[in-house]
Amino acid sequence: MEKRKLGFWEIWNMSFGFLGIQMGFALQNANASRILQIFGADVHELSWFWIIAPLMGLIVQPIIGHYSDNTWGRFGRRKPYFLAGALLASIGLILMPQAEIFIAFMPALWVGAGMLMIMDASFNVAMEPFRALVGDNLRADQHTLGFSVQTALIGIGAVVGSWLPYVLNKWFGISNLATETSAIPQNLIYSFIIGALILVGSILITIFTTKEYSPEELAKFNDEKQHKEAVGEKEKEAKLSDIFTDFAKMPETMRQLSWVQFFSWFGLFGMWVFSTPAIAQHIYGLSINDTKSAEFQSAGDWVGIIFGVYNLVSAIVAFALPYIAKQIGRRKTHALSLVLGGIGLISMYFMPNKEALIFSMILVGFAWASILAMPYAILAGSIHPKKMGVYMGIFNFFIVIPQIVNALIGGSLVKYVYGDHAIYAIVMSGISFLIAAFLVIKVKDNVDTK
């Protein structure tokens, strides 16, 4: 017995909640550093505040993965986690740019950092079960398509989230400057509120349109039976402590992919944290201490625009990834994409003006599309179906650990090695992508023989 082959729009609806998650994530990525700087954070401290994000992923995702693997109720297996994560993340989105309303109790900077923590924990609660749902509901021959559709929706949501502050300012006349009552521009505040509403709405679309297989149904499918025969599995009651056992027994493919993920996400974290100060300094010619001027706000809005560009490109490229992978293999597809992304980030150092950065981000879009799809498609074929959630959560270790490393050393590198020039952090991110591209060729893919 095999899982039913799903149609394109069924796969689309199944992953539609990712559009809202990534819209909120994009608002955070493009604007959190800017908001924290407005609240008083020093450039060298930014990576320390951002360490909250990977720490939340390190703690939350394996636990959520374990419990979603072993939970089944009237609302399903993964769906309760989607909804809980979306509701909590929406609270963080609404309150982070409005942290000043709590200034009577503590500094706005610390309230903003706290809301960043709530958002990241909640995004992780919602995100991991979505990855596992692809493994649950799709046959092995549809895994690449499933993760590519997720990537396309991630790209669409991220474009909307990244461009929204700029659009509200330029098209609707909502101010991007501080007011007497708020240091955070109104276009940012409204963008985060809109993001929160779309996040909850998109999650509800997935919940109401997607059916999950019950544990009894999953047990009848051939892919799970084959895994049981291969490992001689005996049924036993699942415990939270099994996470550590599962980590020790992770498949060889997963171990190899861990190094690819390390250098990929080390680079991404550097790009997210330091793009605003890098572009403000390197392109707009501002001093490292300028965080209040109209030019700084314009630089922050432009970061949102170019981040939207790489996400738009990723949404388009995502539809081509299954075809490309079929022609040259998944590993070569991922390697090529990472090389393009690495060149794109390094090229930012040489760009003469802000418009030229669009070309850099087009190349980054190829890497982002592949990072969100190819490692998961390769991994899914090596995981026991009953362990899909927990292994997707453990796989997240190799996303968050490099971000933690970058968070700990990134600010010091900018200050003491790069001479307060944040653009060199972006160049280092590009080099990290190139290292990941070299390592992916050595990964064993159970399906990919090219």
Side-chain angles (χ1 to χ4, degrees), residues 2-3 15 43 50 73 111 125 148 158 175 221 223-224 251 265 267 284 316 343 351 372 380 425 427:
E2 289 192 333
K3 296 171 185 174
S15 295
V43 169
W50 275 81
V111 176
V125 169
S148 296
S175 176
F221 294 130
D223 54 359
E224 177 148 342
W265 287 87
Y284 283 76
I316 297 169
I343 293 171
M351 292 306 174
L372 292 174
V427 173

Side-chain angles (χ1 to χ4, degrees), residues 68 71-81 212-215:
S68 68
T71 297
W72 182 264
R74 59 181 298 187
F75 298 110
R77 186 185 196 185
R78 315 290 184 188
K79 290 179 184 179
Y81 298 95
E212 294 187 78
Y213 288 115
S214 69

Side-chain angles (χ1 to χ4, degrees), residues 4-331:
R4 184 172 65 88
K5 187 172 184 177
L6 299 188
F8 176 83
W9 291 112
E10 291 178 293
I11 297 174
W12 178 272
N13 288 335
M14 180 179 70
S15 295
F16 194 77
F18 242 125
L19 183 147
I21 292 173
Q22 195 61 31
M23 181 176 175
F25 201 52
L27 282 165
Q28 171 190 294
N29 286 343
N31 300 290
S33 288
R34 176 184 178 186
I35 291 171
L36 293 173
Q37 281 186 274
I38 292 172
F39 284 152
D42 188 86
V43 169
H44 315 120
E45 299 169 344
L46 287 177
S47 63
W48 298 345
F49 286 104
W50 275 81
I51 200 173
I52 296 169
L55 278 176
M56 288 299 100
L58 186 68
I59 296 168
V60 171
Q61 286 216 16
I63 295 174
I64 294 299
H66 170 83
Y67 281 114
S68 68
D69 277 344
N70 297 285
T71 297
W72 182 264
R74 59 181 298 187
F75 298 110
R77 186 185 196 185
R78 315 290 184 188
K79 290 179 184 179
Y81 298 95
F82 300 163
L83 185 58
L87 292 174
L88 290 172
S90 66
I91 293 171
L93 281 167
I94 291 170
L95 294 181
M96 184 185 182
Q98 302 185 75
E100 289 171 304
I101 65 179
F102 300 99
I103 200 168
F105 305 100
M106 65 180 68
L109 177 59
W110 293 106
V111 176
M115 291 302 110
L116 180 62
M117 180 181 69
I118 290 173
M119 278 192 293
D120 278 306
S122 304
F123 286 143
N124 279 293
V125 169
M127 203 179 305
E128 189 283 329
F130 263 109
R131 299 289 191 196
L133 187 62
V134 170
D136 289 345
N137 279 17
L138 296 183
R139 300 170 2 173
D141 61 352
Q142 288 194 298
H143 282 166
T144 301
L145 174 61
F147 288 115
S148 296
V149 168
Q150 276 194 358
T151 300
L153 286 163
I154 286 169
I156 293 168
V159 169
V160 176
S162 297
W163 287 357
L164 191 55
Y166 185 90
V167 168
L168 291 180
N169 174 239
K170 299 299 183 182
W171 294 4
F172 297 94
I174 300 174
S175 176
N176 70 341
L177 301 176
T179 65
E180 292 182 1
T181 58
S182 175
I184 304 299
Q186 290 297 301
N187 67 330
L188 277 188
I189 293 174
Y190 289 140
S191 294
F192 275 63
I193 292 172
I194 293 169
L197 295 175
I198 292 178
L199 169 59
V200 174
S202 64
I203 291 285
L204 290 176
I205 288 175
T206 288
I207 288 174
F208 289 123
T209 61
T210 301
K211 177 186 178 296
E212 294 187 78
Y213 288 115
S214 69
E216 292 75 21
E217 289 174 315
L218 286 173
K220 296 177 182 178
F221 294 130
N222 291 337
D223 54 359
E224 177 148 342
K225 289 180 180 178
Q226 290 166 1
H227 271 280
K228 285 184 177 181
E229 292 170 1
V231 301
E233 178 193 309
K234 295 182 180 179
E235 293 291 335
K236 64 177 182 177
E237 183 179 353
K239 305 184 295 295
L240 186 59
S241 60
D242 290 345
I243 292 175
F244 301 102
T245 303
D246 293 331
F247 183 89
K249 296 181 178 179
M250 75 175 74
E252 178 186 3
T253 296
M254 188 170 174
R255 293 182 188 277
Q256 295 169 334
L257 280 171
S258 68
W259 288 105
V260 178
Q261 294 291 84
F262 181 93
F263 286 100
S264 299
W265 287 87
F266 185 94
L268 287 169
F269 187 83
M271 180 185 73
W272 292 331
V273 173
F274 293 110
S275 282
T276 296
I279 290 171
Q281 291 175 272
H282 194 65
I283 301 296
Y284 283 76
L286 304 180
S287 74
I288 192 171
N289 297 317
D290 185 348
T291 61
K292 305 290 186 182
S293 68
E295 289 80 7
F296 179 79
Q297 301 298 351
S298 295
D301 285 347
W302 191 251
V303 169
I305 290 296
I306 63 173
F307 275 22
V309 167
Y310 86 71
N311 282 292
L312 177 61
V313 171
S314 76
I316 297 169
V317 170
F319 291 108
L321 285 176
Y323 173 79
I324 298 171
K326 188 175 181 180
Q327 301 303 310
I328 66 173
R330 297 193 291 205
R331 291 171 297 177

Side-chain angles (χ1 to χ4, degrees), residues 363-376:
L363 297 181
V364 171
F366 282 85
W368 181 233
S370 192
I371 287 169
L372 292 174
M374 286 298 119
Y376 296 97

